[in-house]
Amino acid sequence: MNKPVILVVDDDAQVLAAVRRDLRTRYRESYAIVGAASGEDALATIRELKARGDSLAIVISDQRMPGIQGTELLTRSRESYPLARRVLLTAYSDIDAAVKAINEAHLDHYLSKPWTPPEDCLYPVIDDLLDVWQAEYLPEAKGLRLVGHQWSPRSHAIKDFLAGNLIPYRWLDVARDPDTQGLLDAAGIGPDELPALFFEDGSALRSPEPRQVAERLGRPLSAAHDLYDLVIVGAGPAGLGAAVYGASEGLKTLLLDRHAPGGQAGTSSRIENYLGFPAGVSGGDLTRRAVAQAQRLGAEMLVPIEVCGVSFDAGYKRVTLSDGREIITRTMLGATGMSYREHPAPGASEHMGAGVYYGAATAEAPAFAGQRVVVVGGGNSAGQAAMHLSRYAQEVQIVVRRDSLRHTMSQYLIAQIEKTSNIRLRTSTEIARVEGNDHLERVAFTVGVGEARVEEVDAMFVFIGTRPLTDWLPAAVLRDSKGFVLTGRDLLIEPAFGRTWKESREPLLLETSVPGVFAAGDIRASAMNRVASAVGEGAMAVRFVHEYLALT
Ligand SMILES: Cc1cc2nc3c(=O)[nH]c(=O)nc-3n(C[C@H](O)[C@H](O)[C@H](O)COP(=O)(O)OP(=O)(O)OC[C@H]3O[C@@H](n4cnc5c(N)ncnc54)[C@H](O)[C@@H]3O)c2cc1C
């Protein structure tokens, strides 16, 4: 197989030669550095690479060229190579235009000329982009293959688990891919044993649970120590933030998640407002970086492990796992966030995972290429999902009860949606019913008090109301009327708090009504529901963990 390609495009022969020379110096062992003198040449090269079955890792293009301009070329390169990273090469005076292009064309980066010294200005950027590309890229003949039915909730659960845990795999739908039957016959796998997960060595798991997949992939599922300083329940942004700070500050730190690291943010196709990522960052990419950072600093992470309870014993906390095992810790951080409410329309629960999905737009979007999908909800998460789905689906309808998105969605997303021709906004509309046989086929919409109108729809992605994931906490951890955990001074006005709190001090800012038990992120009453605030609270919680440990 040929080396993956880094394609450089510039109409200035000297600049082109200089970029190629610098890239060759560092990357020639593993990548072929290919040049093109115009946008047209570059598109011809991309077509040739595709025809040969070669991989394209990065396209770096000058913006100002006669004929096809850089941004247009980079946008068009995505049609053939959606995973390739796209970088605009610009003069210093063009940086404003480059930032605008990044926002509009969703490019990954810009590099300003000159990029000297390359060790500081070029290689760190390219190294980072290659890391991201490598994490998502799967060579044709390699890696995991998941064979199943598109409409099977079990297939959806494994897809969601693999995608959430950033494990690259190839999805093969038995109904659409003619080669799958041969693969199943050769392994003696019957229709009632689907989905089947095939490994590189030819072995397969039949209708596995996520935990069996994790075991087979050699992921740790048991705690390495008998006692921890800090156990963090939930590996969303708050939990990951706490793991990075806890481990880096010398606490014996264990992070547990029942599904996948990244939490809600991990399911986002593009987070545009997180500090330090001017071109936005996908939830998957942010998660991959955070997990690598936490583990490098020494945090232990077990996934998928569900926590179903916690009890308190002479200052120690006993965290109970759903398989009955216990983990003992001196302090605990609850960071289990929240999840979407189920859609109340008749038929929605029967089709869950079979055309009705909750927050799973990134995992399922490719399966709905060329089809009609509905996004229910008017918040930022719904807007991001609609934008992501619009890259695959023929038509995306956003359905909201209100008369506009103005009060619920950020302006930058509203502007993007308005500019996207295959997204249609249906205001003052509700989903009255969901219909189909073994999968979702039709949805009944009502506008105002009018008659329900039934339309054919292939999938419905639901992003409505949220509920805190706090059922696993005992009653001693006080919550507000909606179930969100109370912390710090918010506790002081709770009558129950006065009866149970026996310390001579007030609770610390993120401490719950049980000493040494902390809460951070969306699980907390009056949380800000942002990635940055969740990460910040995770980091702050570690400071209070130190204070608590110093007191005991
Ligand atoms: C699609 C989408 C897009 C978004 N986009 C943005 C954005 O652009 N900008 C922004 O600032 N915010 C955005 N948000 C909001 C942001 O993602 C959340 O505010 C943030 O993720 C909250 O982090 P958290 O760690 O508190 O909780 P969560 O992210 O909810 O993570 C909680 C974790 O706990 C785990 N868990 C739950 N129960 C248990 C249990 N019993 N045992 C073990 N583990 C458990 C879950 O599996 C999950 O991984 C978005 C949210 C969504 C859904």
Side-chain angles (χ1 to χ4, degrees):
M1 198 170 170
N2 292 329
K3 287 178 193 169
V5 169
I6 299 178
L7 176 62
V8 188
V9 192
D10 203 311
D11 62 326
D12 180 328
Q14 267 186 334
V15 176
L16 181 61
V19 189
R20 290 182 71 190
R21 181 200 59 221
D22 285 344
L23 290 173
R24 275 207 190 104
T25 305
R26 186 170 176 111
Y27 302 104
R28 72 170 155 239
E29 288 278 296
S30 314
Y31 295 87
I33 317 297
V34 175
S38 69
E40 288 78 1
D41 276 1
L43 286 177
T45 305
I46 289 173
R47 278 194 295 276
E48 267 171 43
L49 294 175
K50 195 77 197 169
R52 283 209 303 261
D54 285 351
S55 309
L56 180 61
I58 304 185
V59 189
I60 304 173
S61 175
D62 185 31
Q63 168 62 355
R64 291 173 188 239
M65 297 185 289
I68 298 176
Q69 300 263 305
T71 36
E72 184 188 342
L73 164 67
L74 293 171
T75 306
R76 285 172 66 181
S77 69
R78 191 169 202 158
E79 291 159 17
S80 311
Y81 286 99
L83 295 183
R85 301 290 118 178
R86 299 168 308 146
V87 180
L88 197 66
L89 200 54
T90 85
Y92 184 72
S93 53
D94 275 349
I95 285 179
D96 283 351
V99 171
K100 193 160 169 267
I102 281 182
N103 287 333
E104 286 178 359
H106 285 172
L107 308 184
D108 295 292
H109 222 287
Y110 72 83
L111 278 170
S112 57
K113 303 179 213 176
W115 53 91
T116 47
E119 288 73 19
D120 293 342
C121 303
L122 180 68
Y123 300 147
V125 172
I126 302 295
D127 283 352
D128 194 45
L129 292 171
L130 288 173
D131 271 359
V132 177
W133 178 77
Q134 284 285 359
E136 294 178 1
Y137 161 73
L138 187 68
E140 269 305 317
K142 282 187 143 185
L144 299 182
R145 284 165 297 169
L146 180 66
V147 183
H149 291 282
Q150 174 59 29
W151 306 119
S152 142
R154 284 191 78 92
S155 295
H156 171 64
I158 298 299
K159 274 199 247 179
D160 208 30
F161 175 74
L162 293 170
N165 283 281
L166 311 172
I167 301 165
Y169 70 98
R170 200 173 298 289
W171 164 244
L172 300 171
D173 183 346
V174 272
R176 286 198 199 167
D177 195 322
D179 296 339
T180 51
Q181 201 50 55
L183 192 63
L184 294 172
D185 290 346
I189 295 176
D192 51 350
E193 293 174 302
L194 296 180
L197 185 64
F198 287 85
F199 295 84
E200 233 173 279
D201 63 3
S203 64
L205 284 177
R206 297 154 194 242
S207 192
E209 294 293 334
R211 193 185 168 104
Q212 290 170 284
V213 176
E215 253 163 16
R216 177 68 173 70
L217 291 171
R219 305 265 163 136
L221 291 167
S222 298
H225 302 284
D226 296 331
L227 174 66
Y228 287 86
D229 296 319
L230 172 63
V231 166
I232 304 164
V233 186
L240 285 164
V244 164
Y245 282 85
S248 70
E249 290 170 20
L251 297 175
K252 205 180 275 179
T253 303
L254 175 68
L255 180 60
L256 306 168
D257 200 288
R258 67 176 182 180
H259 173 61
Q264 297 169 70
T267 68
S268 167
S269 48
R270 199 167 193 92
I271 298 165
E272 309 235 18
N273 53 4
Y274 190 59
L275 189 73
F277 292 89
V281 58
S282 73
D285 189 12
L286 189 63
T287 302
R288 188 181 58 73
R289 289 161 192 268
V291 168
Q293 195 175 11
Q295 290 181 328
R296 183 177 62 80
L297 292 167
E300 219 181 300
M301 186 173 86
L302 307 181
V303 178
I305 293 289
E306 179 160 16
V307 171
C308 62
V310 54
S311 56
F312 313 110
D313 187 356
Y316 292 100
K317 286 87 197 160
R318 285 177 182 275
V319 178
T320 310
L321 311 184
S322 57
D323 58 14
R325 289 179 297 166
E326 277 187 348
I327 295 170
I328 300 175
T329 177
R330 297 164 76 197
T331 67
M332 193 200 81
L333 175 68
T336 45
M338 55 188 193
S339 71
Y340 288 101
R341 285 188 193 282
E342 285 185 20
H343 200 287
S349 60
E350 290 85 329
H351 292 98
M352 199 191 295
V356 175
Y357 304 104
Y358 289 84
T362 32
E364 290 293 346
F368 293 98
Q371 304 195 31
R372 296 187 65 196
V373 304
V374 168
V375 171
V376 188
N380 281 355
S381 46
Q384 285 175 10
M387 285 303 300
H388 184 66
L389 287 160
S390 71
R391 285 169 39 196
Y392 300 88
Q394 182 201 0
E395 185 191 53
V396 180
Q397 303 191 42
I398 302 179
V399 174
V400 285
R401 281 207 292 221
R402 292 178 180 238
D403 61 359
S404 85
L405 296 174
R406 211 173 47 247
H407 299 292
T408 52
M409 199 180 282
S410 296
Q411 188 49 44
Y412 77 87
L413 268 174
I414 297 178
Q416 286 178 9
I417 286 167
E418 281 168 357
K419 278 196 210 142
T420 310
S421 59
N422 63 337
I423 300 185
R424 176 179 160 209
L425 174 64
R426 294 177 74 158
T427 53
S428 310
T429 305
E430 286 193 53
I431 305 291
R433 219 167 44 249
V434 167
E435 299 175 358
N437 288 316
D438 62 337
H439 66 274
L440 170 76
E441 290 169 273
R442 291 169 302 279
V443 164
F445 299 89
T446 44
V447 181
V449 289
E451 282 279 290
R453 217 179 110 175
V454 178
E455 291 175 29
E456 284 187 11
V457 161
D458 298 296
M460 179 168 111
F461 293 85
V462 182
F463 294 86
I464 55 166
T466 47
R467 66 179 182 91
L469 295 174
T470 49
D471 305 350
W472 60 280
L473 285 167
V477 177
L478 295 178
R479 279 153 264 183
D480 71 6
S481 58
K482 291 185 179 155
F484 290 94
V485 176
L486 293 164
T487 50
R489 295 192 72 89
D490 287 352
L491 284 162
L492 302 182
I493 49 168
E494 277 296 307
F497 176 71
R499 291 196 293 275
T500 54
W501 184 259
K502 303 291 176 227
E503 308 294 305
S504 55
R505 60 178 175 91
E506 283 189 2
L508 299 162
L509 197 62
L510 296 178
E511 198 171 23
T512 69
S513 49
V514 175
V517 172
F518 300 84
D522 284 6
I523 190 181
R524 239 173 34 84
S526 63
M528 304 304 290
N529 309 121
R530 293 280 183 281
V531 178
S533 50
V535 172
E537 286 185 15
M540 275 163 68
V542 169
R543 150 89 196 279
F544 299 125
V545 165
H546 284 298
E547 274 188 44
Y548 169 83
L549 290 175
L551 290 170
T552 54

